[in-house]
Amino acid sequence: MRGDLGLAARALLEHGYGLEEPSRIVPAAIGFVADTYDTDSEASRLLLSRVFDETRFLQFGWEEVPAVCRKIEAIANADPAFGAEIYRRTYAHDVTEDRETPMGSSRILPLRSNARQDYSMARYALGEFIPAFLDRHPSYAIEATVAAIEGYVARVHPIPEEFRDRSLRIAGRNIRLCGDLSHIWAHNPDDTHPDDAKVLIVKLLERLRFSEEEIAIRLANLLIAKASLAVFWSRLFLAAAERNDELVNLLLPFAMTEQFLVMPDTRKDAIDVVAKGYGRLTRGERQNFERQVFAFDFSEFVEPERARDGFLRDLFSTIGRDALATDDARALITDINQETAQNERPFVVRALSGAPEPYFWIPDLDPSQPANADLMAAIDSAKEALALESGAEAPPGLTLNDAYRALGRVEHALRGDGVNPQLKINGEGVIGRACVRILAQNLLPSETDTPAMESFLRFLGIAAGSTSPEVQDDTEEDFEQSPSWGSPAARVEAAQAVLDLALQQPDLLPRVSDHIDTLLADPHPAVRMQAGLYLIRIWNRSGFWQRLETRLAEEANLGVLEYLISHVFGRILHAEPARVESLILDLLKRFPDDNERHARLRKAVSDQLTILWVTYEQQAARAVIHMWIATPALYHDELAGVLQTMRGTFVAGLSGQKKQGDDARRCRALDLAKAIVDAASECLTAYYASDTPNDIDGSHAHEFLQLLDTACNELYFSTGAINHSEQSNRPPSGIELDIFFREAAPILQQIGDYATPHTVYCLLQLLECLLPFAPERAFDLAAHVLRHGGRDTGFQFEPLGVDLIVRLVGVFLADHKEIFEDEERRTALIACLEIFMEAGWPSAQRLLYRLPELLQ
């Protein structure tokens, strides 16, 4: 019987290997073959080995190798030699792709990983099994560990050619030693979060440290025979020194050898073994050793004499003055405190706490230079007086005079002879932040206090004229990809302060107009963006529209444009919809030869255009959106943005206090959503009807399905159905959902034609919420989506789906049984349940068999 199972498992795996898309069969078949491995070890080994074939590994290694490694225990127990081979080949190979991979098969709750992470699970499984492997099959486990670490080193820490294997004969044994720079990459033997193959080193060391003496010696002898990498020798020495038992006697002859003591990878641990075993040597052996170490060769070191002196002092001080046998050795450490002497690793990472030196980030700053010292003191004083550190609140009782005194010190110190240029920039940035703080605290005097106002304008001029932030060759490109800037940035602060000033003191606008215009056209995009964002401070003043139009017309940085569209248009659109529409139409003419940038711009204005049409009936905005609808394959992202913007409008006038025009806005929003859904559905109809669809068509079809999903999601969330308790039939209060249901039903019907499992699940949850208002309509829509989009896309195979259906049908039968007096509805109900019954769900089968009883 078991033999037949093994034969069937191998046949299934062989079949899976021949498929173009084997992911649904091969990983499972690998598990079956591993579980029946002992029924035919040779055939099973040949089959499982194929996952490592180069061509197959490149295509499927990220999922098939982990499937093998998850069964490493069953395989290694039956065939430890192949278990060792799996370790070798798994760690020798690598997957570096970040391509997305599914975690499970659910499309309602699709979890994602990537190929690189998936492959790492193979190594995780091997790392978990290695302690048991060492216990059950130590020889093969040591072979596996050595091979795995060698593969890891070759992949991640390639060994220079000059670090070739050295063949040595010590204590009657032939051994190999190869430097591997592990004193750097494996510098911490007690690493609590090892990765990749370093997990194996940590767990091997644990076995060497804590196993019974007989077992530890056996493992050590296996390593001596099979290992060459220095990392294994260092861990052997470390375990021996800690145990201080018979393992020291085994390893002492190796540790006393020049090659182990001089090599940085093994030196520290070899010295520790020598120190532990030194008392076991005769006086003659110690004298001979101490004379030999003076002749060790350090010629390969950059500073040979310094390296020799450091080694001898570490060696002799660790052994201890009282244990040394020669005067020369003792003389070398006469000045070393025996109690504080340490034999440290060559490479150590330490965490230090404490405050850094003031202004440590400024290169070539000489704090002792008088001009620098004065400015540093003035900056610190101003920061403290005005609480200018990031996130700090203004100090209580701050007055304008306090601020001016602090800034006056900074201003005076900036003129110092020989001030560090970067420190000067920092001081200008402090003045800029101080101007913003003064305005934020409403400390400005009245316009009649001319001296005080002139002082503020002087400080503001210092910030506006600063060289910070500086512009580099890649500043524009970097800012477009990720709008950000460093600190200090005096002109950025000035851009905010000058427009805050114009808001608080409108009569000063003519005096600061030059600053505003200069900052709007600044060479640095961060300054232009800040000035543009705060331009809203004067939106109802002369010059606002001209400045905004000029900035938009001249601005080439898409990062700046996106911020202005989002933060400025959104605040003035409701006051001047026609004017904003005109600006958007002009923007849409930009970047005609750059599809990627033009797409970003379209996406940025999609929500503004939606509001302009739905709320203000701006016809030009409507024309643009309908142009997008006419070609959904090109504008799917923009249409998704349109749908997302309309979420709240789908229920306008149906909740809270009704405003004039709400009904019309809601109707325009639903009509627009219907137009988008219709366009996507028409394209999907053409795609599925095509006899020769290509990859591009398939990609577009996925985008159309996403549009349907987005439309369904936005309708669902607009109703507040997400807060509807699954334990109750009661719909969320506060929204006239009966009206919404009647108006949205045509859209939901259209979505149901091609709904994917996630869309079906969302739509059914919405119908569950709307069910009390029109149970007939709710059932008809549910049956429609299940028998069309749901069945076609496999909703019936989703565990979450069947749970929802059983619950939903239960509500229909319990509370609205009368709707099934209609024969067509009864037929539809049976057809829906049969879809799930044929998919193998017992709960659907039980419900179907009970229908006659439930419908009585």
Side-chain angles (χ1 to χ4, degrees):
M1 181 66 178
R2 182 171 168 77
D4 292 339
L5 288 175
L7 187 63
R10 292 189 292 275
L12 180 63
L13 182 54
E14 186 71 54
H15 169 71
Y17 281 153
L19 299 176
E20 290 186 7
E21 295 293 336
S23 60
R24 291 184 179 273
I25 292 180
V26 169
I30 285 172
F32 298 149
V33 172
D35 289 338
T36 57
Y37 191 96
D38 57 352
T39 61
D40 190 337
S41 296
E42 184 176 352
S44 299
R45 180 174 189 166
L46 289 173
L47 270 177
L48 295 178
S49 294
R50 288 170 59 180
V51 303
F52 295 104
D53 291 349
E54 183 176 355
T55 301
R56 185 160 200 90
F57 181 86
L58 291 174
Q59 288 183 284
F60 311 112
W62 58 271
E63 62 178 350
E64 293 181 356
V65 173
V68 171
C69 293
R70 282 194 292 270
K71 292 293 184 177
I72 185 62
E73 183 170 9
I75 296 170
N77 286 342
D79 187 353
F82 184 48
E85 179 70 5
I86 290 172
Y87 275 83
R88 182 186 70 80
R89 301 184 77 167
T90 301
Y91 283 96
H93 290 74
D94 200 10
V95 172
T96 58
E97 289 182 85
D98 284 330
R99 64 185 170 112
E100 191 177 86
T101 61
M103 294 175 64
S105 58
S106 175
R107 287 188 287 167
I108 295 176
L109 188 64
L111 302 177
R112 295 288 183 262
S113 180
N114 62 53
R116 175 177 49 81
Q117 291 175 331
D118 290 349
Y119 189 75
S120 70
M121 296 308 295
R123 295 179 185 140
Y124 174 81
L126 297 184
E128 289 296 291
F129 178 65
I130 196 64
F133 201 13
L134 286 166
D135 290 341
R136 299 171 192 172
H137 306 283
S139 179
Y140 288 110
I142 291 296
E143 180 182 328
T145 305
V146 169
I149 301 302
E150 287 176 348
Y152 166 75
V153 170
R155 278 190 298 108
V156 183
H157 305 288
I159 299 174
E161 290 186 9
E162 61 269 23
F163 287 18
R164 59 190 178 278
D165 271 13
R166 306 179 187 183
S167 295
L168 305 171
R169 185 166 180 80
I170 301 173
R173 302 178 69 164
N174 294 322
I175 66 163
R176 294 175 299 128
L177 172 62
C178 179
D180 54 17
L181 298 178
S182 56
H183 70 283
I184 298 174
W185 59 261
H187 68 277
N188 180 11
D190 298 310
D191 188 359
T192 54
H193 300 287
D195 62 346
D196 209 308
K198 289 191 283 187
V199 172
L200 305 181
I201 300 174
V202 169
K203 294 192 175 184
L204 173 62
L205 176 59
E206 182 179 345
R207 277 294 184 273
L208 290 170
R209 278 170 157 168
F210 304 117
S211 294
E212 294 180 4
E213 184 177 283
E214 180 182 352
I215 295 173
I217 290 175
R218 183 180 180 187
L219 293 176
N221 277 311
L222 289 169
L223 276 172
I224 291 170
K226 297 182 178 183
S228 66
L229 292 179
V231 67
F232 290 112
W233 288 102
S234 70
R235 297 308 186 258
L236 277 172
F237 294 149
L238 171 60
E242 289 183 355
R243 295 175 66 101
N244 197 19
D245 57 8
E246 190 61 30
L247 200 56
V248 170
N249 293 334
L250 174 65
L251 292 170
L252 185 59
F254 302 96
M256 294 175 65
T257 304
E258 176 180 355
Q259 287 82 357
F260 288 104
L261 286 169
V262 171
M263 181 180 288
D265 297 324
T266 54
R267 168 178 152 176
K268 191 272 183 200
D269 298 302
I271 288 176
D272 286 341
V273 171
V274 171
K276 290 291 184 180
Y278 215 60
R280 309 179 191 189
L281 301 174
T282 66
R283 180 174 180 82
E285 289 172 330
R286 283 181 282 153
Q287 289 175 335
N288 187 47
F289 172 72
E290 290 168 23
R291 295 190 186 103
Q292 287 178 345
V293 296
F294 280 99
F296 282 179
D297 181 12
F298 289 86
S299 60
E300 294 184 359
F301 287 78
V302 176
E303 298 181 54
E305 291 305 317
R306 182 179 177 185
R308 181 194 307 278
D309 290 344
F311 162 73
L312 292 173
R313 291 165 69 88
D314 284 346
L315 174 64
F316 293 148
S317 61
T318 303
I319 292 173
R321 185 181 296 109
D322 294 339
L324 293 172
T326 64
D327 293 338
D328 289 342
R330 284 192 291 269
L332 197 64
I333 59 170
T334 52
D335 59 338
I336 295 178
N337 185 334
Q338 198 69 43
E339 294 181 358
T340 60
Q342 293 182 345
N343 175 30
E344 289 197 327
R345 298 191 176 278
F347 181 84
V348 180
V349 177
R350 293 190 178 91
L352 302 177
S353 61
E357 291 294 322
Y359 302 93
F360 67 92
W361 65 88
I362 299 179
D364 304 321
L365 174 64
D366 181 2
S368 64
Q369 207 269 356
N372 290 336
D374 289 346
L375 182 53
M376 290 164 63
I379 290 172
D380 292 342
S381 176
K383 285 182 176 180
E384 182 178 357
L386 283 83
L388 297 180
E389 295 296 343
S390 177
E393 296 182 359
L398 177 66
T399 66
L400 185 63
N401 287 335
D402 295 335
Y404 278 4
R405 276 194 298 272
L407 294 184
R409 286 187 62 190
V410 177
E411 179 188 22
H412 176 75
L414 287 172
R415 304 193 193 102
D417 186 25
V419 170
N420 181 284
Q422 290 298 315
L423 184 62
K424 182 178 180 180
I425 286 174
N426 193 274
E428 292 165 346
V430 165
I431 290 178
R433 276 181 283 162
C435 290
V436 172
R437 172 71 84 192
I438 290 169
L439 290 163
Q441 297 304 120
N442 293 310
L443 297 179
L444 271 186
S446 65
E447 299 171 33
T448 58
D449 191 347
T450 303
M453 188 58 69
E454 291 299 324
S455 294
F456 184 82
L457 292 174
R458 189 176 71 254
F459 293 135
L460 185 58
I462 292 173
S466 174
T467 59
S468 173
E470 297 176 298
V471 179
Q472 308 297 332
D473 292 341
D474 55 358
T475 296
E476 292 286 348
E477 182 180 354
D478 289 348
F479 194 87
E480 183 160 306
Q481 298 303 316
S482 178
S484 60
W485 60 91
S487 180
R491 297 198 310 282
V492 175
E493 306 287 355
Q496 176 181 346
V498 71
L499 285 154
D500 281 343
L501 176 63
L503 175 65
Q504 292 187 21
Q505 303 282 0
D507 291 342
L508 288 176
L509 180 57
R511 290 198 61 184
V512 297
S513 289
D514 288 345
H515 280 323
I516 294 174
D517 294 336
T518 300
L519 293 167
L520 280 168
D522 194 90
H524 200 290
V527 182
R528 301 196 302 272
M529 186 184 80
Q530 189 82 331
L533 292 177
Y534 281 88
L535 194 61
I536 195 72
R537 298 283 199 257
I538 60 168
W539 83 271
N540 58 349
R541 304 290 304 281
S542 174
F544 167 77
W545 285 102
Q546 182 270 327
R547 287 186 171 97
L548 179 60
E549 290 168 0
T550 300
R551 180 72 265 129
L552 292 173
E554 296 177 355
E555 185 57 63
N557 192 295
L558 194 54
V560 176
L561 286 174
E562 287 173 329
Y563 265 82
L564 295 182
I565 291 167
S566 175
H567 295 82
V568 178
F569 283 9
R571 301 181 68 179
I572 61 176
L573 181 149
H574 300 286
E576 297 275 2
R579 205 157 187 175
V580 171
E581 180 186 59
S582 177
L583 291 176
I584 290 176
L585 294 177
D586 288 339
L587 283 171
L588 287 174
K589 300 174 185 176
R590 305 285 294 278
F591 315 121
D593 300 322
D594 191 329
N595 292 335
E596 183 178 345
R597 300 179 83 204
H598 198 272
R600 280 181 61 181
L601 187 58
R602 292 194 306 268
K603 193 171 182 181
V605 301
S606 63
D607 57 342
Q608 314 291 351
L609 288 170
T610 306
I611 295 169
L612 285 168
W613 162 239
V614 171
T615 303
Y616 298 107
E617 295 186 86
Q618 294 297 132
Q619 293 298 323
R622 177 185 182 278
V624 173
I625 296 172
H626 277 270
M627 184 270 290
W628 293 347
I629 293 173
T631 319
L634 293 178
Y635 303 112
H636 50 87
D637 287 340
E638 293 83 346
L639 294 175
V642 171
L643 290 167
Q644 290 160 356
T645 303
M646 295 191 296
R647 175 187 294 182
T649 317
F650 290 142
V651 292
L654 301 180
S655 63
Q657 186 174 359
K658 190 172 184 177
K659 299 177 183 177
Q660 184 177 0
D662 275 351
D663 290 341
R665 289 194 302 119
R666 185 178 73 253
C667 289
R668 283 193 291 273
L670 289 168
D671 287 345
L672 195 54
K674 181 69 164 60
I676 295 172
V677 168
D678 286 347
S681 296
E682 289 173 9
C683 293
L684 286 168
T685 299
Y687 171 74
Y688 290 124
S690 173
D691 293 330
T692 57
N694 55 40
D695 290 343
I696 295 176
D697 293 335
S699 175
H700 289 324
H702 175 74
E703 291 157 354
F704 302 144
L705 292 170
Q706 283 295 108
L707 275 177
L708 297 182
D709 190 67
T710 300
C712 189
N713 281 344
E714 298 310 319
L715 290 167
Y716 171 69
F717 286 114
S718 71
T719 64
I722 191 173
N723 299 316
H724 173 44
S725 171
E726 294 183 357
Q727 307 303 321
S728 169
N729 267 357
R730 292 175 299 172
S733 59
I735 301 178
E736 298 178 45
L737 291 180
D738 53 337
I739 299 175
F740 168 84
F741 194 10
R742 183 178 67 251
E743 294 175 344
I747 304 175
L748 301 178
Q749 176 86 9
Q750 190 77 14
I751 290 172
D753 289 342
Y754 296 108
T756 60
H758 181 271
T759 312
V760 175
Y761 191 77
C762 180
L763 197 156
L764 291 176
Q765 285 185 303
L766 176 57
L767 292 175
E768 183 181 25
C769 175
L770 299 174
L771 187 156
F773 302 101
E776 298 94 339
R777 186 189 304 133
F779 176 81
D780 292 344
L781 285 171
H784 174 77
V785 68
L786 288 172
R787 297 168 73 183
H788 291 81
R791 180 189 59 196
D792 295 341
T793 59
F795 181 76
Q796 65 271 27
F797 299 110
E798 297 278 351
L800 288 174
V802 72
D803 291 343
L804 176 57
I805 286 300
V806 170
R807 185 174 76 238
L808 193 56
V809 170
V811 173
F812 277 118
L813 294 174
D815 298 341
H816 306 283
K817 185 167 58 175
E818 68 279 359
I819 69 173
F820 297 108
E821 293 175 2
D822 182 273
E823 184 177 350
E824 289 187 8
R825 258 189 212 106
R826 288 199 304 273
T827 302
L829 175 59
I830 292 170
C832 290
L833 290 176
E834 284 180 340
I835 291 172
F836 285 87
M837 187 183 74
E838 290 170 2
W841 294 108
S843 54
Q845 187 177 36
R846 287 193 297 270
L847 195 54
L848 182 62
Y849 287 161
R850 289 190 61 202
L851 270 186
E853 169 194 342
L854 296 171
L855 290 174
Q856 286 180 359

